[in-house]
Amino acid sequence: MIRKIALALGAGTLIAASPAALALDGAAVELGRGDDRTNLLRISFVDKWRKKQPPAGAEWRLAGYWDLSLAVWDNSNESTAEVGFTPVFRIERRSLYLEAALGFHLVQARVSADRVFSSAFQFAEHLGVGFISGKYTFGVHVQHLSNGGITEPNPGINFVLVRLQYHLD
């Protein structure tokens, strides 16, 4: 477990230190709990779709971002690594937001003694709500990962996540 966390953090540091990362708009940390008492730690790098502020007086704003993530899952049986890429659609009103996403993740096959994915490729959907305060965004998300029935078995897994994002812009 420690080795996988160190690997994920090291890879995240290398990505963040690369010249391409200078164009990133933010970084986030997610902590969560899922099926089979699986804990999740995820580090994400964010690139917003729209950089401009909405027109003055606009009540609602359509926004979104690309989310590149590295994660480690851990439960009493196994530790699992994950890499994900997710386009996230967001509706914002002042400092509040609602968001939905459908992304693509690569996950090690064995999650627990009773939960083995038949393929590394997984779809990940999430719904979230939260608020924006200055340079920070705080949110709560519900996420489901599965292969969408492409192969069997397809046990899927659900997480409840707390997300803290820091805006670099």
Side-chain angles (χ1 to χ4, degrees):
M1 170 62 180
I2 299 298
R3 194 170 78 196
K4 289 182 183 179
I5 290 173
L7 180 62
L9 291 175
T13 301
L14 288 175
I15 291 170
S18 73
L22 298 176
L24 293 175
D25 295 312
V29 174
E30 287 180 293
L31 298 172
R33 180 82 168 198
D35 299 333
D36 298 331
R37 296 182 180 172
T38 302
N39 297 310
L40 178 142
L41 170 62
R42 181 180 289 144
I43 299 169
S44 297
F45 302 97
V46 174
D47 185 33
K48 294 179 187 175
W49 297 349
R50 294 184 176 181
K51 312 283 184 190
K52 298 178 184 177
Q53 291 298 322
E59 285 291 316
W60 293 92
R61 174 184 176 203
L62 179 62
Y65 59 92
W66 302 108
D67 188 273
L68 176 63
S69 63
L70 304 164
V72 176
W73 305 359
D74 187 53
N75 59 46
S76 61
N77 296 319
E78 299 287 334
S79 293
T80 303
E82 167 206 326
V83 175
F85 179 73
T86 306
V88 181
F89 301 89
R90 182 182 275 186
I91 298 173
E92 299 174 347
R93 183 173 184 213
R94 296 187 189 102
S95 61
L96 300 177
Y97 74 83
L98 299 170
E99 68 181 32
L102 174 60
F104 311 99
H105 291 242
L106 295 175
V107 179
Q108 289 180 325
R110 189 174 180 87
V111 177
S112 71
D114 300 325
R115 192 174 303 270
V116 177
F117 294 150
S118 57
S119 68
F121 179 79
Q122 303 289 310
F123 295 103
E125 309 88 34
H126 85 245
L127 295 174
V129 62
F131 64 92
I132 303 163
S133 177
K135 289 243 181 221
Y136 295 93
T137 298
F138 176 78
V140 177
H141 299 172
V142 176
Q143 184 176 50
H144 172 76
L145 285 91
S146 76
N147 69 26
I150 295 172
T151 60
E152 294 294 330
N154 181 29
I157 190 165
N158 300 300
F159 288 101
V160 175
L161 303 162
V162 175
R163 180 180 175 101
L164 178 62
Q165 179 176 325
Y166 178 75
H167 304 274
L168 299 172
D169 54 354

